Amino acid sequence: MSEFWLISAPGDKENLQALERMNTVTSKSHLSYNTKFTIPDFKVGTLDSLVGLSDELGKVDIFAESLIKRMAQSVVEVMEDAKGKVQENLLANGADLTSFVTHFEWDMAKYPAKQPLVSIADTLAKQLAQIETDLKSRMAAYNALKTNLENLEKKSTGNLFTRTLSDIVSKEDFVLDSEYLITLLVIVPKPSYVQWQKTYESLSDMVVPRSTKLIAEDNECGLFTVTLFRKVIDDFKTKAKENKFTVREFYYDEKEIKREREEMTRLLSDKKQQYGPLLRWLKVNFSEAFIAWIHVKALRVFVESVLRYGLPVNFQAVLLQPHKKSSTKRLREVLNSVFRHLDEVAAASILDASVEIPGLQLSNQDYFPYVYFHIDLGLLD
């Protein structure tokens, strides 16, 4: 499973024994894989400051998780043609996310433990906010480029009624720079090809004989040229419509056609040039954001443990990885029973239905008499 439970209990003898019992039961019952989660000794400050910091860290935690999910999704969007390789770009310090979390070590160089807790939290919050600002800017530029390119590509993929014709026609298909003559493009249904050939010259006066030519087809229609005198354009269009032939409004402009082709080439080149640097930036900063997020989790465990268990600081944090989704309810019951003594009054009102397991009373109710935080690594779910 890509989910972890980060818990803490007081570090006195009784609770260390409770942790050992938890490890024994969860191991024997194959409920979870448990590892010690080491958190430095921080400067505690005042309890009032910890209460305020608890609220602030909760907000930073939510923001950080949202940010890394957006970054993971951005990697998917950028790697549109190689989605099978997305996970190898979602790493933390070069390690897969599960390995990083289970082997977590506080980064003393980046977040010195000797600093006040408020300063460390502020550093983490500012780092995450800057990454989000950069992410918005970079993805907005990339998506604008991608949208422009998709719009141009759509013009080349529609049917003959809607698609651009600049990549179909050539200069030789038209009579150009004539004061009297003009070449029109007519869309003819495939079953009507014979009818078109027989009737186009008589749809109006002044149609140039033998001037039609098939220059393109799609699944249902063909695109024909026809040359006629300018003064009969309206009459020809009317008669063509009556015969279910559609005159496509198009005037050959060499400069405009060249501009369209150059724009497509430029956008393809720009997208290719942006792809590598953007993916590298996402990879590096996803790692930074994820690492910051787990540090936020560690800070939250410290702050909540001090607020719940009091001073002096003495608690043990443990990381649990449930083996499967179906065992999480059972695992919760084990934890609630093992640590029931941490809040007997509240626990007594909740643990009213129990199941026997050697040495334990298990409840079907959710209850957290211990410090608990959830880490979900299912970033692409």
Side-chain angles (χ1 to χ4, degrees), residues 3-17:
E3 133 179 37
F4 292 88
W5 296 2
L6 184 53
I7 70 168
S8 80
D12 56 45
K13 183 177 180 181
E14 178 186 6
N15 285 291
L16 289 178
Q17 289 175 345

Side-chain angles (χ1 to χ4, degrees), residues 4 55-56 76 108 134 138 225 227 229 232 269 298 315 358:
F4 292 88
D55 291 339
E56 186 60 32
V76 173
M108 293 291 185
D134 292 345
R138 290 171 184 267
T225 60
T227 302
F229 279 75
V232 298
S269 176
F315 68 89

Side-chain angles (χ1 to χ4, degrees), residues 20-209:
E20 288 180 10
R21 292 171 67 208
M22 177 196 73
N23 287 332
T24 299
V25 173
T26 56
S27 175
K28 285 184 177 180
S29 302
H30 303 289
L31 296 176
S32 64
Y33 172 73
N34 308 337
T35 55
K36 186 177 179 181
F37 193 85
T38 304
I39 299 174
D41 293 325
F42 296 108
K43 291 183 177 180
V44 175
T46 66
L47 290 178
D48 283 346
S49 68
L50 288 184
V51 171
L53 186 58
S54 174
D55 291 339
E56 186 60 32
L57 285 172
K59 297 174 186 176
V60 176
D61 188 353
I62 293 171
F63 174 77
E65 183 172 9
S66 170
L67 175 60
I68 62 174
K69 284 184 176 180
R70 280 180 283 153
M71 296 188 79
Q73 190 56 47
S74 294
V75 172
V76 173
E77 292 173 11
V78 172
M79 297 186 70
E80 53 191 313
D81 297 326
K83 290 184 178 179
K85 297 184 178 181
V86 167
Q87 288 295 344
E88 63 191 56
N89 287 280
L90 300 179
L91 306 174
N93 263 356
D96 67 84
L97 304 185
T98 295
S99 296
F100 179 83
V101 173
T102 54
H103 297 88
F104 173 77
E105 293 182 8
W106 186 272
D107 190 335
M108 293 291 185
K110 190 178 289 186
Y111 314 110
K114 292 182 179 180
Q115 288 187 352
L117 285 171
V118 174
S119 298
I120 298 173
D122 187 56
T123 298
L124 286 162
K126 287 180 177 176
Q127 178 189 4
L128 290 164
Q130 185 59 55
I131 291 175
E132 186 201 37
T133 299
D134 292 345
L135 174 67
K136 285 181 176 179
S137 174
R138 290 171 184 267
M139 287 306 296
Y142 185 79
N143 285 331
L145 175 62
K146 187 177 174 182
T147 299
N148 290 337
L149 185 56
E150 287 173 350
N151 288 338
L152 274 182
E153 289 173 340
K154 282 180 182 177
K155 290 182 179 180
S156 301
T157 56
N159 58 39
L160 290 172
F161 290 93
T162 59
R163 63 160 294 159
T164 182
L165 302 179
S166 61
D167 60 338
I168 292 178
V169 301
S170 63
K171 187 176 181 179
E172 291 70 27
D173 296 324
F174 295 86
V175 173
L176 301 173
D177 304 321
S178 171
E179 183 179 352
Y180 302 105
L181 295 175
I182 186 171
T183 299
L184 300 183
L185 297 178
V186 183
I187 300 172
V188 179
K190 285 186 175 180
S192 303
Y193 280 8
V194 174
Q195 181 190 354
W196 166 258
Q197 292 286 358
K198 288 180 178 180
T199 62
Y200 80 91
E201 293 180 6
S202 59
L203 289 177
S204 175
D205 294 334
M206 301 184 177
V207 176
V208 177

Side-chain angles (χ1 to χ4, degrees), residues 299-312:
L299 270 188
R300 293 195 74 189
V301 171
F302 181 89
V303 170
E304 297 304 322
S305 296
V306 174
L307 288 174
R308 180 172 295 198
Y309 308 137
L311 294 172

